[in-house]
Amino acid sequence: MSNPAPPKLLELAAHSLLSNEASALPALEEFTIDLFPPLLTAAFARGHKKALKALVQAWPFPFLRLGSLIVQWPNQDSLQAVLDGLGNSSAPSACPSLLTKVERSHGSLRLCCRKLHIEEMPFNSLIGILKTLELDFIQELEVFDWFRALSEQSLFATQLGRICNLRSLKLAYYHWTFPPEGEQSSSCFLSQLSKLGHLQKLHLSYSYLSGNLHQVLRCLQAPLHALEIRSCTLLDTDITYLSQSLHATCLRKLDLSGNNLSYMVPGPLETLLAKISGTLQHLDLNHCRLKDSHLSAILPALCLCSHLGSLGLSDNPVSRAGLLSLLEHTAGLMELKRVLYPIPIECCMYLHGLSWGPVNKGRLCQVQAEMQRLLQAVQRADMQWSPPLPSPLPVRLVQLD
């Protein structure tokens, strides 16, 4: 094991200065600007609130980047000290909220972030954040919340359409409204989605999309690299459209977990897998009610996915024999290293397509031992096959007003 790299000279100097704040802080204006970044990092790491406030007030650069510091040292007091410095206030009680500071700065203070995660917050607060942020900087947006009124959906869609450089969009619990075929609506969410010309990853979950996936996908300007449509009650027509769309030949990741795909085999599912086989690297078909016969039917198409690196099949009622057959047939996929396989039906009960405890650990250990022997026999010790922990029926958290 190699020894860790010694601290840089500037880092050592920063820590030394912060050890004596009383003498160091009044002399900030005399410091070389190269010392400010390591000083800020050291102050954030050690929670020096006075130093943080002073450093922000004297910051010599046009940009103040805090994202990595907040992730590495998530401390509310440190962030408050930075806000106090931005507001140039002498007491925390006089410091307005972050959004208020940006609004009152009249353009001198700009709030930017590359990744924004929003979950269970009042709708007015959500819109307030989007209106205050520099939307051009956002590349990843995750929204896990319900919009209870059409007016809220429309207002959110308008703000979404302004995030012109968005690369990744995750939406959960969104109540989709689709116009009749052939009818266009300027206020429709889809028309705003069509403005996201750089979108590469789309994640939709716990939303009702039955028979309407084509309306979502055909409004996108460029092919997607990753598509996750989880628990959206997809129909066979949705899978058929996906296999015929421009996205099919570019997808590197596909997640269809939580959709009942059992009645799509034989049929659309194998067609889709064959179509995306040239680029697919990650495939998740967890909790899709697939049995042995279904796996057997999709195996020829699955074995065409020569670049596949990970495969998720948990919570499917598959037998021990079905698992061993799957392992034997996919052993030729040399890039496949990780497989999340379902607990076989001989080891637990299945209820509504989900594995349900208790798990017979003795039988499961026997199956795992058989799989390890088979992995050695086919010379694929580099493949990691692991079962998930048993879980109860999924629970959706509801925020009460």
Side-chain angles (χ1 to χ4, degrees), residues 99 113 115-131 133 135 138 140-147 156 159-160 163 169-173 399:
L99 300 184
C113 72
K115 182 176 181 178
L116 179 62
H117 178 95
I118 297 174
E119 184 171 358
E120 292 187 0
M121 71 165 48
F123 182 76
N124 289 339
S125 300
L126 183 155
I127 295 300
I129 289 174
L130 291 178
K131 286 184 176 180
L133 284 171
L135 299 183
I138 300 178
E140 298 181 45
L141 175 63
E142 301 177 355
V143 181
F144 296 87
D145 210 339
W146 287 279
F147 299 124
F156 170 73
Q159 295 299 318
L160 178 67
I163 311 178
L169 173 63
K170 292 188 177 184
L171 279 179
Y173 310 111
Q399 181 183 5

Side-chain angles (χ1 to χ4, degrees), residues 280-281 305-310 332-338 380 382-383:
L280 191 64
Q281 298 174 9
C305 302
S306 57
H307 300 293
L308 191 64
S310 68
L333 298 176
M334 302 311 296
E335 294 189 26
L336 182 59
K337 306 294 185 182
R338 298 183 305 277
R380 286 305 309 271
D382 60 325
M383 293 180 74

